């Protein structure tokens, strides 16, 4: 669903283009001009045609000329770059606030009414201010079609803002290397009409995308999808950075607790502890210190739904 | 070194000193033998880094897994970066050609501190060994990228400490080489060689020496801070310990940006020598070439922030760094104009080193112009950390420094080995190398413009075509590289004997036999003319 009509997808596209085409245009002219001058000299003053070189020490006028002209050109280039960047620092006062929570290796977007979504859903022609929060390492929120990017630094308050101008779906990539699954850390901006967005925003469910006839555990699955659990743990038995959930519930697992190997049963109590204190027990064969605690993001009710979902993965 | 003098002095290759066999090399304090020690170690590490690059490009020929896992890919680009930056391009031209030619070009018998010079090589080997040890010990190879960005570098289970310590030790090798060259240039120029009678290559080594001496300690202390943080849990950079990850980026780039000028300045010096010699013409605007070298070294200290435009520095810092970045381009532009002006009304002998110099000017211009696009704020915000950046710095570092290295290799090959290389094969290799280079890295500009981030093991289907073309370019480039290196080795046996001045060069190294005797000059020359006096 890559939008090809994204030429003016955001308010930054035209200023980017001005700076990019000006600098690229001047550069290409100089590159072609200088390369052909060089090739002409090599051809014209080949030793077969020009047996004796004319010794020229230099020419101060030329040196000044080719110092001053590039300075002027580069100052104009600087100006276009500065002019295109300046608006990124000044979000409009009426911008809609959305918090982006980045963690290894997923984005979660939290709205002011508490709604959460793994996809960035925004209304068209409304300025959007994204508050950038990282739970672990540095990430970077990059929307190529919008020509905007900002690093997400743990422990720092930062934001980015943009004005989406065309409805459609646009890619989001993480653009700062953040470990094993860095290249899988992506999402989508879904720019909707104002009406559609209002309808979506008003849906009572805190977590989006639960089907009407969902089976047992669907609510839990939606919560886990929103939190990005599946970036590291699969529901289908594939081993990623953490253990798979398939047929996990109720089994005996060997874990490392304070450096000693013990055997535990995967019961509700163990699952809850693994979510709230992920580094207390580490399943044998998996790395420690990668998962953060979800104490501040998941309620007891959420965890109960997750446990229902894990149960539903047995004997599938 | 022994000071005995015969009437027929043996060349530095035939000289029988205190030691025999391998020890006559690894215990030698002759700057020429040390240069060859560096050359062979650098070529070995370059082959390693290049193989990693080839495998990474092969992995990227299709989205998803092709030949390796994400963990392996991440370890590969980390090792590729560390080896290529710290062990190949930073020491590259200064340690090999600087060591071999600096004393001869200024009319000296050796560098100022020959034993320190040998020690630098040992530090170099120790540093790279530590980096390699980190791959095979601990919980797995480091996977942080060569930039070791905090706080990821504190979270990873990869074996980071030996790699960081290795980079620290490599820093000392660089500092000592810089110090040695600075003292040599200040104290050991031949009688009559005033500052402005010194050739360009020593001048660029002089500018580089100051950067090595003043900037490298910053990365040294930064790497020590990482080690202290990892072992003693002092919170410098990790927010979990109360540190600041942006502070790390400032410290890292305060060195690593000037380091780019350590790589490129001697390359510019070598290119100046080649263009003057094969045009049989004095270098156009010598004084401006000297001044622009010093200007690059000086302004180069003040532009590191352009690596951090999206990291959240203050607005004032952003536009100040952007403005300074545009200004650092000016001295480089002056150099390009002067090189081309040197060809004007010359009598150009189209030999392999001159082709390399032409290739250098072309790819260096592309690298420089793409640098302007990245230095501009509005465009940087989109292009930062994408394949566009990869393309830009491979054009500068592999294109600039790499082309100059191979140009210098062919230019001074007769002097160093006493043999001529086969120029037909050399030119075929160069043609393939240049073609592959432009396909491989040129495509990356497009991929980055479309939004493909760097350090991506897997990618969206929209980037597939570009990646196929780029990977195919890598095969052409490596075929060229293979031919170039095999040809140079084969010519050691089959090449014709080289005269002392095969190209009609005017600088002092062409006045001594090929290969030069142990102490370079029977009598220290007295310099009366400028470096490129063809009159």
């Amino acid at each position: 669903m890559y939008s090809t009509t994204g030429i003016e997808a955001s308010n930054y596209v035209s200023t980017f283009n001005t700076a990019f085409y000006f600098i690229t245009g001047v550069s290409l002219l100089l590159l072609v001009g200088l390369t052909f001058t060089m090739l002409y000299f090599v051809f014209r003053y080949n030793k077969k045609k020009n047996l004796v070189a004319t010794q020229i020490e230099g020419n101060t006028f030329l040196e000044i000329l080719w110092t001053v002209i590039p300075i002027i050109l580069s100052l104009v280039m600087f100006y276009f770059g500065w002019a295109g960047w300046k608006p990124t620092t000044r979000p409009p006062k009426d911008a809609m606030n959305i918090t982006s929570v980045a963690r290894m290796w997923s984005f979660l977007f939290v709205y002011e009414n508490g709604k959460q979504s793994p996809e960035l859903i925004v209304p068209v022609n409304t300025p959007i201010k994204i508050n950038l929060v990282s739970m672990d390492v540095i990430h970077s929120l990059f929307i190529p079609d919008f020509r905007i990017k900002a690093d997400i630094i743990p422990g720092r308050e930062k934001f980015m803002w943009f004005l989406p101008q065309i409805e459609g779906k646009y890619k989001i990539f993480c653009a700062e290397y953040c470990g094993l699954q860095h290249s899988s850390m992506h999402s989508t901006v879904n720019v909707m009409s104002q009406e559609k967005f209002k309808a979506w925003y008003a849906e009572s469910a805190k977590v989006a995308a639960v089907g009407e006839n969902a089976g047992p555990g669907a609510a839990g699955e939606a919560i886990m999808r929103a939190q990005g659990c599946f970036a590291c743990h699969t529901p289908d038995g594939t081993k990623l950075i953490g253990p798979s959930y398939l047929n996990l519930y109720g089994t005996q697992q060997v874990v490392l607790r304070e450096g000693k190997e013990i055997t535990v049963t995967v019961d509700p109590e163990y699952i809850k502890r693994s979510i709230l204190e992920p580094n207390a027990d580490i399943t044998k064969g998996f790395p420690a210190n990668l998962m953060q605690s979800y104490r501040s993001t998941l309620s007891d009710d959420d965890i109960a739904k997750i446990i229902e979902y894990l149960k539903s993965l047995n004997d599938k | 070194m022994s000071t005995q003098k015969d009437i027929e002095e043996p060349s530095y290759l035939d000289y029988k000193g205190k030691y025999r066999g391998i020890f006559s090399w690894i215990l030698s304090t002759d700057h020429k033998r040390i240069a060859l020690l560096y050359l062979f170690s650098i070529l070995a590490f370059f082959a390693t880094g290049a193989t990693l690059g080839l495998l990474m490009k092969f992995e990227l020929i299709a989205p998803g897994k092709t030949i390796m896992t994400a963990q392996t890919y991440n370890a590969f680009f980390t090792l590729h970066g560390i080896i290529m930056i710290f062990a190949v391009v930073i020491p590259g031209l200064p340690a090999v050609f600087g060591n071999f030619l600096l004393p001869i070009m200024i009319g000296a018998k050796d560098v100022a501190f020959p034993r320190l010079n040998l020690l630098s090589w040992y530090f170099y080997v120790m540093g790279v060994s530590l980096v390699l040890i980190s791959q095979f010990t601990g919980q797995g190879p480091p996977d942080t990228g060569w930039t070791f960005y905090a706080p990821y570098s504190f979270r990873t289970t990869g074996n980071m400490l030996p790699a960081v310590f290795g980079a620290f030790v490599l820093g000392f090798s660089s500092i000592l080489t810089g110090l040695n060259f600075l003292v040599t240039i200040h104290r050991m120029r031949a009688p009559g060689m005033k500052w402005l009678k010194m050739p360009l290559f020593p001048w660029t080594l002089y500018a580089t020496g100051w950067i090595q001496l003043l900037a490298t300690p910053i990365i040294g202390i930064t790497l020590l801070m990482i080690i202290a943080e990892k072992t003693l849990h002092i919170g410098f950079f990790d927010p979990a310990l109360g540190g600041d990850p942006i502070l790390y980026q400032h410290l890292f780039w305060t060195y690593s940006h000037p380091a780019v000028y350590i790589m490129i300045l001697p390359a510019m010096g070598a290119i100046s020598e080649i263009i003057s010699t094969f045009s049989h013409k004095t270098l156009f605007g010598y004084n401006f070439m000297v001044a622009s070298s010093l200007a690059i070294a000086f302004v180069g200290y003040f532009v590191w922030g352009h690596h951090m435009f999206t990291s959240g520095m203050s607005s004032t810092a952003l536009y100040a760094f952007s403005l300074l970045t545009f200004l650092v381009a000016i001295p480089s532009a002056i150099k390009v104009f002067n090189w081309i002006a040197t060809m004007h009304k010359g009598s150009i002998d189209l030999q392999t080193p001159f082709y390399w110099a032409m290739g250098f000017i072309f790819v260096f211009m592309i690298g420089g112009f793409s640098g302007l696009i990245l230095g501009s704020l509005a465009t940087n915000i989109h292009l930062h950390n994408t394949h566009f950046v990869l393309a830009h710095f491979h054009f500068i570092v592999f294109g600039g420094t790499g082309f100059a290295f191979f140009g210098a290799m062919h230019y001074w090959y007769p002097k160093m080995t006493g043999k001529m290389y086969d120029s037909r094969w050399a030119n075929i290799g160069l043609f393939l190398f240049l073609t592959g280079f432009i396909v491989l890295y040129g495509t990356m500009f497009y991929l980055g413009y479309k939004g493909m981030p760097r350090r991506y093991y897997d990618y969206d289907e929209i980037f597939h075509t570009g990646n196929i073309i780029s990977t195919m370019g890598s095969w052409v480039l490596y075929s060229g590289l293979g031919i170039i290196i095999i040809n140079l080795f084969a010519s050691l046996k089959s090449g014709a004997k080289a005269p002392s001045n095969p190209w009609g060069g005017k600088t002092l190294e062409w006045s001594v036999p090929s290969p030069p005797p142990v102490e370079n000059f029977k009598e220290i020359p007295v310099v009366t003319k400028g470096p490129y006096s063809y009159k």
Side-chain angles (χ1 to χ4, degrees):
Chain A
M1 290 286 282
Y2 188 76
S3 170
T4 49
T5 56
I7 301 162
E8 294 282 333
S10 86
N11 55 325
Y12 300 126
V13 176
S14 63
T15 47
F16 170 87
N17 285 345
T18 310
F20 186 82
Y21 290 129
F22 177 75
I23 301 173
T24 310
V26 172
S27 299
L28 277 178
L29 277 178
L30 284 168
L31 177 69
V32 171
L34 289 166
T35 305
F36 276 95
T37 310
M38 175 170 76
L39 290 174
Y40 172 74
F41 286 168
V42 169
F43 173 76
R44 171 68 185 78
Y45 300 109
N46 192 297
K47 70 172 180 181
K48 287 174 198 148
K49 293 187 177 163
N50 199 31
L51 269 176
V52 181
T54 313
Q55 300 303 324
I56 308 165
E57 298 278 331
N59 182 323
T60 309
F61 171 74
L62 273 179
E63 300 285 349
I64 291 170
L65 194 70
W66 62 46
T67 306
V68 172
I69 292 176
I71 288 180
I72 295 169
L73 281 176
S74 63
L75 288 178
V76 179
M77 291 175 181
F78 165 77
Y79 169 77
F80 282 125
W82 176 82
W85 153 85
K86 194 69 191 158
T88 64
T89 59
R90 293 175 178 165
K93 287 206 172 66
D94 59 344
M96 178 176 181
N97 272 285
I98 299 172
T99 300
S100 158
V101 181
R103 61 172 87 236
M104 292 163 156
W105 290 280
S106 66
F107 292 105
L108 176 68
F109 299 95
V110 182
Y111 292 76
E112 281 184 322
N113 69 353
K115 223 172 151 84
Q116 300 183 354
S117 165
E119 191 179 50
L120 177 57
I121 297 173
V122 294
V124 72
N125 291 327
T126 308
I128 307 292
K129 185 181 168 203
I130 312 255
N131 301 300
L132 303 163
V133 176
S134 169
M135 303 304 286
D136 38 48
V137 300
I138 301 178
H139 301 279
S140 186
L141 184 66
F142 176 31
I143 312 170
D145 285 331
F146 289 4
R147 306 285 185 263
I148 185 79
K149 171 188 298 122
D151 294 0
I152 312 174
I153 315 277
R156 282 216 174 193
E157 282 187 18
K158 283 192 67 195
F159 70 88
M160 72 191 258
W161 84 272
F162 55 82
L163 181 68
Q165 304 185 58
I166 296 175
E167 287 174 40
K169 288 194 172 185
Y170 308 92
K171 300 277 179 198
I172 295 177
F173 297 119
C174 175
E176 181 61 60
Y177 176 69
C178 57
L180 185 67
Q181 304 280 355
H182 167 54
S183 62
S184 320
M185 182 167 170
H186 46 72
S187 179
T188 317
V189 192
N190 189 349
V191 183
M192 293 178 166
S193 68
Q194 307 259 3
E195 297 74 39
K196 265 176 114 176
F197 178 80
K198 267 183 199 145
W200 175 82
Y201 195 61
E203 274 171 31
S204 58
K206 184 180 166 192
V207 174
V210 181
E212 293 250 322
N213 303 316
E221 183 185 0
I223 292 167
M224 295 178 85
R225 204 164 287 291
Q227 296 293 342
C229 304
F230 299 116
C232 305
H233 307 272
T234 65
D236 61 7
T238 314
K239 184 182 159 183
L240 291 181
I241 194 90
S244 171
Y245 297 134
L246 185 70
N247 293 328
L248 180 67
Y249 187 82
T251 56
Q252 305 267 314
Q253 295 287 335
V254 180
V255 299
L256 283 173
R257 181 179 292 173
E258 287 164 8
K260 287 189 195 113
E261 281 187 21
I262 55 165
T263 304
V264 295
T265 306
V266 183
D267 54 16
E269 191 202 345
Y270 171 78
I271 293 171
K272 189 171 173 185
R273 195 168 64 246
S274 293
I275 294 172
L276 300 181
E277 298 168 52
N279 294 308
D281 294 339
I282 298 294
T283 310
K284 202 181 165 194
F286 290 91
N289 297 321
L290 278 177
M291 185 169 157
Q292 308 293 310
S293 171
Y294 283 74
R295 198 181 289 283
S296 55
T297 38
L298 293 175
S299 64
D300 283 354
D301 184 45
D302 290 336
I303 293 173
K305 283 176 181 152
I306 288 174
I307 291 168
E308 279 310 303
Y309 169 65
L310 294 187
K311 277 183 192 165
S312 77
L313 286 177
N314 281 15
D315 306 316
K316 250 196 168 173
Chain B
M1 214 74 230
S2 153
T3 53
Q4 68 183 63
K5 266 197 174 174
D6 303 325
I7 295 161
E8 291 266 313
E9 274 195 275
S11 88
Y12 80 101
L13 291 171
D14 302 327
Y15 175 74
K16 301 274 184 291
K18 244 192 294 183
Y19 305 101
R20 291 283 171 269
I22 182 90
F23 293 106
S24 72
W25 287 88
I26 63 170
L27 293 176
S28 169
T29 53
D30 180 356
H31 66 102
K32 298 179 286 301
R33 288 202 167 197
I34 293 172
L36 290 199
L37 288 178
Y38 271 114
L39 176 63
F40 285 105
S41 1
I42 285 174
L43 278 181
F45 297 129
F46 175 69
T48 314
T51 308
L52 293 172
L54 185 67
L55 292 171
M56 287 190 310
K57 283 317 293 183
F58 195 78
E59 170 57 41
L60 289 182
I61 199 167
K65 185 180 170 182
T66 314
I67 49 167
M68 62 181 87
T69 62
Q71 186 72 57
T72 312
Y73 184 83
N74 295 348
F76 271 24
F77 72 64
T78 303
L79 188 59
H80 172 82
I82 298 176
I83 286 188
M84 287 305 209
I85 297 282
F86 293 109
V88 178
V89 287
I90 288 182
L93 280 132
V96 178
F97 301 105
N99 254 321
F100 197 99
L101 292 147
L102 172 67
I104 311 184
M105 288 176 94
I106 62 170
K109 292 189 170 182
D110 206 317
V111 293
F113 308 113
R115 276 183 287 191
L116 200 59
N117 201 14
L118 182 62
L119 181 67
S120 309
W121 180 73
Y122 277 97
F123 276 142
Y124 171 80
V125 172
M126 275 163 54
V128 185
S129 307
L130 279 166
V131 171
L132 293 177
I133 284 170
S134 74
Q135 303 298 311
F136 305 107
T137 54
Q139 287 195 46
D143 62 342
T144 58
W146 75 277
T147 47
F148 306 120
Y149 264 22
Y152 179 71
S153 50
F154 298 108
R155 300 292 152 82
T156 175
T157 53
N159 192 18
M160 226 192 60
L161 281 180
V164 170
F165 192 62
F168 176 75
V169 174
L170 279 168
F172 274 94
S173 169
S174 190
I175 293 171
L176 294 179
T177 303
L179 176 75
N180 216 338
F181 286 2
L182 286 178
V183 178
T184 307
I185 293 169
H186 268 275
R187 308 296 295 180
M188 299 179 70
R189 278 169 291 133
M193 182 173 277
K194 300 217 164 65
W195 282 98
L196 289 178
K197 285 192 174 146
M198 201 162 67
L200 246 288
F201 186 56
W203 258 118
T204 52
L205 289 171
Y206 181 74
T208 306
W210 279 111
I211 309 179
Q212 288 175 304
L213 195 64
L214 296 179
T216 318
I218 301 169
I219 191 81
I221 196 71
T222 311
L223 297 173
L224 278 189
M225 284 161 91
I226 292 190
I227 292 170
E229 180 149 355
K230 243 189 135 125
T231 53
L232 308 171
H233 303 288
I234 304 170
F236 294 118
F237 307 127
D238 187 351
L241 297 171
D244 182 358
I246 302 298
L247 174 66
Y248 175 78
Q249 297 182 13
H250 277 294
L251 288 170
F252 182 83
W253 290 114
T254 305
Y255 164 74
S256 297
H257 194 79
V260 177
Y261 299 105
I262 299 180
M263 306 166 197
I264 201 69
L265 272 168
M268 293 168 155
I271 293 297
S272 306
E273 302 294 333
I274 293 171
I275 290 179
S276 167
T277 295
F278 291 94
S279 302
H280 296 116
K281 191 164 166 269
T282 186
L283 196 67
F284 192 92
Y286 170 87
N287 292 342
F288 292 91
M289 288 298 249
V290 170
S292 58
S293 304
L294 298 175
I296 289 173
F298 181 72
V299 186
Y301 280 107
F302 305 106
V303 299
W304 78 84
H306 68 217
H307 296 268
M308 302 163 58
F309 283 161
T310 62
S311 71
M313 284 188 297
S314 81
S315 302
T316 318
L318 284 182
Y319 61 74
F321 278 122
S322 174
L323 189 60
L324 285 161
T325 302
F326 277 104
L327 292 181
V328 82
I330 306 297
S332 299
I334 293 172
K335 284 190 178 294
V336 171
F337 293 129
N338 279 300
W339 286 324
I340 296 179
T342 302
M343 298 175 193
H344 180 238
K345 295 200 172 171
S347 176
I348 297 170
D349 186 9
L350 278 177
Q351 297 283 349
T352 312
F354 191 81
Y355 284 126
W356 279 107
M358 288 170 69
F360 171 92
I361 293 179
F362 181 67
V363 294
F364 181 71
M365 281 196 291
I366 296 177
F369 288 133
S370 58
L372 296 176
I373 299 173
L374 288 168
S376 149
L377 290 170
T379 40
N380 180 282
I381 285 174
H382 173 60
L383 298 167
H384 176 72
N385 258 353
T386 65
H387 268 55
F388 196 94
V389 175
L390 283 191
H392 160 71
F393 79 66
H394 280 89
F395 263 89
I396 291 285
V397 171
F398 193 18
T401 311
F403 275 61
F405 189 90
F406 286 114
M409 194 69 238
H410 288 88
Y411 179 53
W412 282 307
Y413 184 87
K415 183 56 60 189
M416 296 170 88
T417 63
K419 294 289 178 79
M420 300 302 288
Y421 56 83
D422 180 327
S423 45
R424 200 167 59 97
W425 279 111
N427 291 344
I428 293 171
L430 161 60
F431 175 75
L432 287 175
F433 187 90
L434 179 65
T435 311
F437 184 90
I438 288 168
V439 175
L440 165 55
Y441 298 112
T443 320
M444 285 188 182
F445 282 124
Y446 170 76
L447 285 170
Y449 175 77
K450 294 295 280 180
M452 179 169 171
R454 67 192 282 204
R455 296 173 173 176
Y456 257 35
Y457 163 74
D458 189 11
Y459 53 83
D460 196 276
E461 194 56 45
I462 53 171
F463 304 123
H464 195 175
T465 316
N467 272 296
I468 294 175
I469 298 171
S470 177
T471 301
M472 289 179 168
S474 74
W475 302 336
V476 181
L477 181 143
Y478 282 86
S479 331
L481 198 58
I483 292 174
I484 292 162
I485 290 175
I486 290 169
N487 180 46
L488 288 175
F489 274 103
S491 300
L492 285 178
K493 287 212 161 161
S494 60
K497 199 172 167 348
S500 65
N501 191 359
W503 317 124
K506 292 289 175 187
T507 38
L508 283 176
E509 78 271 29
W510 304 111
S511 68
V512 300
S514 307
V518 179
E519 295 197 324
N520 304 337
F521 301 94
K522 268 188 192 161
E523 268 175 45
I524 295 296
V526 176
V527 179
T528 52
K529 294 184 195 163
Y532 310 105
S533 48
Y534 284 87
K535 272 177 190 161

